[in-house]
Amino acid sequence: MRHLLEIDDLDADELRDVLDRAKKPAEGVLRGRGVGLVFEKPSTRTRHSTEMAVVQLGGHPVTVQGAEVGIDTRESAEDVARTLSAYHAAIGARVFEHHKVERLAAAGSVPVVNLLSDEAHPLQAIADLLTIEAEFGSLDGRVITYVGDPNNVFRSLALAAGMSGAHIRVAAPASHPVPQVMLDRIAASGIDVAVHDRPEAAVAGADVVYTDTWTSMGQEAQAEQRRRDFEGFTVDDTLLDQAASGVILLHCLPAHRGEEVTAAALEGARSRIWVQAANRMHAARAAIWWLIDKAS
Ligand code: CP
Ligand code: NVA
């Protein structure tokens, strides 16, 4: 049984297959079948894009909030996985601890898709690649610079883009360095990350500048401190001017204008955030289709 808990659950050829499927319809793949979706955190894009992806595949999404299902409070992750496997062709889960999606995958008998954990956001990474490919034709040799908090979105992006031949750079403040365990995890896939502690040098010549919130879901109590820690890491037009002339700006959203990115940059001509958000649905459809194919 194949799962998508992090993007390198796919090898490079399989990732290519998923990206190609994202450009095709796949009506009927899930006809008469369900996909159970559990959200322990809020969501706009992931819930709507995944539900609509299931509809496009001919299936029926059943979404529940985390508290309703109560993974490890009402019953164990294992019992939830076994139960949902009896009704659904696949399970999607947005969780705090990454270990929970691993436990769902280990205990259930259907594919599990990680809809964001503290460590990874693979469906976002697929949408990111689709957006970059639409712009540049290919990832190969492109320079992708991530500015800000080296978080779940960064890890999946670095893995996905690195697997596709891009050069990865990251700029994070000394107070929030890229964790060594994350660099090791990325290096295990043969991907080299150039680490900077200032954004200016990191964006020089970059084809893609990517940023995400300084305060991820679950870290709200640290928001004020994080605003201070990440001062100087706001992506604005002056920073983008130092990148390659055809640079595009990506952000997984939700955005915090005036913090990790200025409103002007986000709304500017170099931004591709709405194409990127739209690609979430194509990414979800392709990934679920691929997983269902492998399971049958
Ligand atoms: N990018 C993303 O995952 O957005 P949501 O949190 O709204 O799903
Ligand atoms: N890093 C953010 C991404 C939200 C889509 C978070 O985990 O909250």
Side-chain angles (χ1 to χ4, degrees), residues 201-217:
V203 303
D207 299 298
V208 177
V209 173
Y210 198 120
T211 190
D212 182 20
T213 184
W214 293 336
T215 303
S216 284
M217 291 180 275

Side-chain angles (χ1 to χ4, degrees), residues 189-210:
S189 288
I191 298 156
D192 201 28
V193 175
V195 179
H196 297 254
D197 62 6
R198 291 296 314 154
E200 293 77 9
V203 303
D207 299 298
V208 177
V209 173
Y210 198 120

Side-chain angles (χ1 to χ4, degrees), residues 41 94 116 121 151-153 212-213 215-217 252-254:
K41 302 175 186 177
R94 168 167 284 199
L116 181 142
H121 200 2
N151 58 18
N152 43 8
V153 167
D212 182 20
T213 184
T215 303
S216 284
M217 291 180 275
C252 60
L253 304 175

Side-chain angles (χ1 to χ4, degrees), residues 2 15 99 126-128 186 195 207 210 253 291 294:
R2 301 293 299 272
L15 176 57
H99 192 46
I126 295 169
D128 299 341
I186 297 167
V195 179
D207 299 298
Y210 198 120
L253 304 175
L291 287 166
K294 297 295 158 191

